[in-house]
Amino acid sequence: MSAQAFLSQFVQVAVALALAPLLVGWVNQCRAWLSNRTAPPLTLPYRTIRKLFMKDAVVASNASPLFRLTPYVVFAAMCCAAAIVPSLATDLPFGVAADAIALVGLFALARVFIALAAMDIGTAFGTLGARREMFVGFLAEPALLMVLFTASLISGSTSLPSIVDTLAHRELAIYPSLAFAGVAFTMVSLAENARIPVDNPATHLELTMIHEAMVLEYSGRHLAMIEWAASLKLFVYSCIGLALFFPWGVAEAHAPLALLLALPALLGKLAIGGMTLAVLETVNAKMRIFRVPEFLATAFLLAVIGLLVHLLLGGVSR
């Protein structure tokens, strides 16, 4: 690997860490505007994370070392995921070492740790949230894998940089398989990031919350890392969608000047994506938890249809 590749890798992770809270602030602003409310400051997530880092962490007396370790594991997993997904460049050392399956494994690792930590204290809310989180993940991860497999069949590789390189240099056309996969990915992304209609990140109602129920016992620097990791997860999922369905603007290998142009392109696409997410959350209502299996089963079905459409059309073309 060249020095340019390691530079691209470092810049991409640094940009992800810096822009992830900004994306959350932008989505919150758009939601407020669409609801005709006064919008919070764009930098509010940064202020919240800074305030939490300055406070002391209060830990329950019966908490095990797993409870203290979980925020660091979850944050590290999201940083590794941000290093794998080609948001700025395709010349990434981490992209060669890990593929799309490893990316899903990182999401699963973070989910398992935060669910175990939620049950570690023994509170009712934590256990309730952990059960719901594992239930959602059990249904969402297969759909995400089917979406990634559809893109990997087109490129002939499970490496995300290879997928982006292949899709970005194809002729501009409508691929039915990617259309089905795009709808499925949107549904999975809403569920995985605890967004409406599956979950509401702004509520603490015991009958509806999933993610918030698992982090109620955290405070101080531990809560700051979990909040930062949650914003990183939203950022990574947004970059996965951009890499699979809007791959244009990503810098190619051995193109140092293209890296400077990739950052404005990424900002523009994230701004449009954040506004689209705010619109989806505004026009939809929170569904009952018993309807979530139907929602995610539909996403899995659409992803499988996209996979089958690609295989059938590929077989016909051959």
Side-chain angles (χ1 to χ4, degrees):
M1 285 290 177
S2 63
Q4 174 66 28
F6 286 100
L7 176 62
S8 301
Q9 185 72 85
F10 174 78
V11 171
Q12 177 167 299
V13 176
V15 167
L17 291 173
L19 292 184
L22 185 65
L23 177 60
V24 175
W26 170 245
V27 174
N28 293 337
Q29 272 199 344
C30 292
R31 286 185 61 182
W33 291 335
L34 292 170
S35 302
N36 199 21
R37 294 184 286 110
T38 302
L42 192 62
T43 58
L44 183 60
Y46 295 103
R47 299 178 188 177
T48 302
I49 292 174
R50 177 179 175 273
K51 179 180 65 176
L52 291 174
F53 268 120
M54 296 176 64
K55 292 185 176 183
D56 294 331
V58 179
V59 182
S61 59
N62 61 335
S64 70
L66 175 67
F67 184 82
R68 298 175 174 86
L69 180 64
T70 293
Y72 302 96
V73 174
V74 173
F75 184 79
M78 293 302 104
C79 288
C80 291
I84 294 175
V85 180
S87 58
L88 287 176
T90 57
D91 192 12
L92 303 175
F94 272 38
V96 177
D99 59 0
I101 301 176
L103 178 64
V104 178
L106 287 172
F107 291 139
L109 175 67
R111 175 179 290 107
V112 168
F113 265 85
I114 198 169
L116 291 176
M119 294 185 293
D120 182 70
I121 303 298
T123 60
F125 280 171
T127 305
L128 178 68
R131 289 161 54 190
R132 291 177 175 178
E133 177 70 14
M134 297 306 295
F135 178 64
V136 170
F138 173 76
L139 298 171
E141 286 175 1
L144 178 60
L145 279 173
M146 292 299 104
V147 171
L148 295 174
F149 286 159
T150 301
S152 65
L153 285 177
I154 296 176
S155 62
S157 173
T158 57
S159 174
L160 288 173
S162 300
I163 294 174
V164 173
D165 276 332
T166 302
L167 295 178
H169 292 89
R170 280 177 170 252
E171 296 181 359
L172 185 60
I174 297 177
Y175 297 94
S177 58
L178 288 182
F180 284 108
V183 177
F185 177 80
T186 301
M187 300 171 69
V188 171
S189 180
L190 293 174
E192 285 281 78
N193 290 280
R195 314 299 300 196
I196 296 175
V198 177
D199 193 11
N200 188 355
T203 185
H204 285 83
L205 297 176
E206 59 186 84
L207 296 178
T208 61
M209 60 182 176
I210 298 177
H211 176 266
E212 293 297 325
M214 296 187 296
V215 301
L216 286 177
E217 298 299 321
Y218 280 106
S219 61
R221 63 181 181 277
H222 294 157
L223 183 58
M225 298 195 72
I226 288 178
E227 292 294 334
W228 202 352
S231 63
L232 269 174
K233 187 175 183 179
L234 178 61
F235 180 88
V236 170
Y237 262 89
S238 301
C239 290
I240 293 174
L242 296 177
L244 295 181
F245 309 107
F246 304 97
W248 304 281
V250 180
E252 302 175 16
H254 311 297
L257 295 180
L259 190 62
L260 300 176
L261 300 176
L263 182 57
L266 177 64
L267 289 174
K269 290 188 289 187
L270 286 176
I272 298 174
M275 186 177 297
T276 304
L277 174 60
V279 171
L280 289 176
E281 290 191 300
T282 303
V283 300
N284 287 297
K286 170 72 174 64
M287 68 173 61
R288 299 177 62 190
I289 190 67
F290 304 106
R291 299 294 302 274
V292 174
E294 300 176 9
F295 182 81
L296 292 176
T298 302
F300 178 77
L301 179 62
L302 290 173
V304 172
I305 290 176
L307 192 68
L308 294 176
V309 166
H310 173 76
L311 293 176
L312 292 174
L313 294 182
V316 171
S317 62
R318 286 194 297 269

